[in-house]
Amino acid sequence: MRNSNAFCATDLNLPTWVPDAAVHYLAHTEAGLPIRELARKSGCHASTVLRQIRRFETRRDDPLVDAVLRKLGASLDRSRSSADHRPKKDDADMLTARALDHDTPPETAAMTQDMVRILRRLCETGAVLAVAVDMQKAVVVRDGVTGSSTRTAVVDRKVAEAMALQDWIVADQTGRITRYKITPAGRTALADMMGEVEQEQPGFAEAATPFADQHRQWGERTVRDTETGQPRKVRYNLAESPLTALARRRDKGGQPFLSDDLVTAGERLREDFELAQMGPRVAQNWDRFLTGGGRGSFAMDSGVGNGPEGARNRVAAALRDLGPGLSDVVLRCCCYLEGLESAEKQLGWSARSGKIVLRIALMRLKQHYDDTTGPGGGMIG
């Protein structure tokens, strides 16, 4: 647990998500505070602060970590240069006083949601976060069954930098395009943040449970039961979506049951769906596309929810184009990550018929995207 008297981000007017070890590094290298003074203020030994500083100096080989430390250092320099000049021996007191006079930039719910969304994607087998030089967006890609890569999520570079600084992701391959994987600390942070989301939004929960085994990490979604109309929880594996499991199956000719372009179409819908849920209670709108939820009562301009409008419109247009039945199965399996057996039961379909309907729905979904934005979709960003 963090020491309440420790020298932390607010003492340097830094964002509160900056870890204390990074604050110590910036305080020493940018603000010029002695190591012993930092140790005294943080209530730890000077050797501990020294190890933190050396570790972050080493981590600057990581492009994201180096970029965010440069930005934080530049903002600290601007903040210090705009303050009243005082004798150097009062620097520490001056920084603390300024922290009390100015509000720390607030952590927005959107940033937390973005981190949850990306960390969940990185839990999937074979998923990496790819960051290119001079690009303001980072993408999550996952290797498909045939070796091709599927884009599963896009996020602002600043969110990726924040996750790298907190050691939630680590560079696995460097170069012009650096590939990052989730760390054990990132998995722990994901479980904690998903638990907080459940407490803050009891109507739509995404709570994490402990590992079922070393290869699985479970989460939950709340969906509306078709028969009773009451909310019910659906348990799913964070490391794998129903589409990924179905894509590994082979047909009679030995070909993958779902081709990579069909998986890409389903992942594209899921990406927009998760972007659209960044505002509170938005998920209740999607339930109305389900057969048992009063189809047709959803209004595109109803103004309910505060998620990105473009993503909401794209999801609504795709579901409306698919129509009853097909929109049910893609919403349940691609967006809510409900298993096929559970979806068949809720929709009243015969056993083992869901995978056929889902493949037809994905074909129709791919055609919708080809007609609206062209093959391959839009550009990143």
Side-chain angles (χ1 to χ4, degrees), residues 85-155:
H85 293 286
R86 299 188 182 186
K88 189 169 183 177
K89 61 185 180 68
D90 293 334
D91 275 354
D93 294 335
M94 176 187 68
L95 291 172
T96 305
R98 280 175 33 233
L100 298 175
D101 294 337
H102 302 281
D103 293 331
T104 302
E107 291 180 302
T108 63
M111 187 171 184
T112 301
Q113 290 283 358
D114 269 336
M115 289 182 175
V116 171
R117 178 171 60 90
I118 298 303
L119 290 175
R120 279 180 49 197
R121 285 298 198 168
L122 290 176
C123 282
E124 297 174 359
T125 304
V128 296
L129 181 70
V131 184
V133 178
D134 299 330
M135 288 289 290
Q136 295 304 311
K137 299 284 186 179
V139 297
V140 180
V141 294
R142 187 184 64 224
D143 293 335
V145 177
T146 60
S148 61
S149 296
T150 300
R151 191 196 80 181
T152 60
V154 180
V155 68

Side-chain angles (χ1 to χ4, degrees), residues 33-52:
L33 271 66
I35 291 178
R36 291 189 180 278
E37 185 173 354
L38 288 171
R40 176 175 55 81
K41 286 182 171 295
S42 300
C44 61
H45 198 275
S47 61
T48 301
V49 178
L50 179 60
R51 284 194 298 270
Q52 293 173 344

Side-chain angles (χ1 to χ4, degrees), residues 125-334:
T125 304
V128 296
L129 181 70
V131 184
V133 178
D134 299 330
M135 288 289 290
Q136 295 304 311
K137 299 284 186 179
V139 297
V140 180
V141 294
R142 187 184 64 224
D143 293 335
V145 177
T146 60
S148 61
S149 296
T150 300
R151 191 196 80 181
T152 60
V154 180
V155 68
D156 287 337
R157 188 185 182 97
K158 63 180 181 181
V159 178
E161 292 173 347
M163 292 191 297
L165 189 67
Q166 297 178 86
D167 204 21
W168 294 350
I169 57 176
V170 63
D172 180 62
Q173 177 182 337
T174 59
R176 182 166 179 80
I177 298 179
T178 306
R179 298 160 68 93
Y180 291 83
K181 290 186 176 181
I182 189 171
T183 64
R187 295 180 184 274
T188 301
L190 172 62
D192 293 341
M193 288 190 291
M194 291 179 72
E196 292 174 1
V197 169
E198 180 188 23
Q199 294 177 359
E200 294 173 0
Q201 300 182 19
F204 179 70
E206 287 190 271
T209 59
F211 280 97
D213 54 54
Q214 68 182 77
H215 300 296
R216 295 185 178 182
Q217 185 175 8
W218 296 98
E220 292 180 352
R221 280 189 183 275
T222 299
V223 300
R224 193 172 301 281
D225 193 296
T226 304
E227 297 179 356
T228 65
Q230 298 299 317
R232 66 183 181 89
K233 288 187 176 182
V234 176
R235 193 165 178 251
Y236 63 95
N237 183 9
L238 285 172
E240 187 172 61
S241 72
L243 289 187
T244 314
L246 196 58
R248 287 200 302 267
R249 298 185 183 181
R250 304 281 176 170
D251 58 19
K252 294 181 179 179
Q255 299 299 316
F257 185 79
L258 292 181
S259 60
D260 289 338
D261 55 351
L262 297 185
V263 175
T264 299
E267 296 291 4
R268 184 173 175 182
L269 180 69
R270 178 183 169 188
E271 180 184 2
D272 278 336
F273 179 81
E274 293 183 344
L275 286 172
Q277 285 183 258
M278 291 175 67
R281 300 176 64 86
V282 176
Q284 295 180 7
N285 288 332
W286 308 123
D287 288 337
R288 304 195 180 186
F289 279 96
L290 297 174
T291 302
R295 183 185 303 280
S297 58
F298 177 84
M300 287 288 295
D301 57 351
S302 61
V304 179
N306 299 317
E309 183 178 1
R312 290 201 301 271
N313 291 345
R314 290 191 297 271
V315 174
L319 295 178
R320 186 169 52 247
D321 191 17
L322 292 178
L326 298 184
S327 63
D328 285 301
V329 70
V330 297
L331 186 59
R332 290 182 182 276
C333 295
C334 299

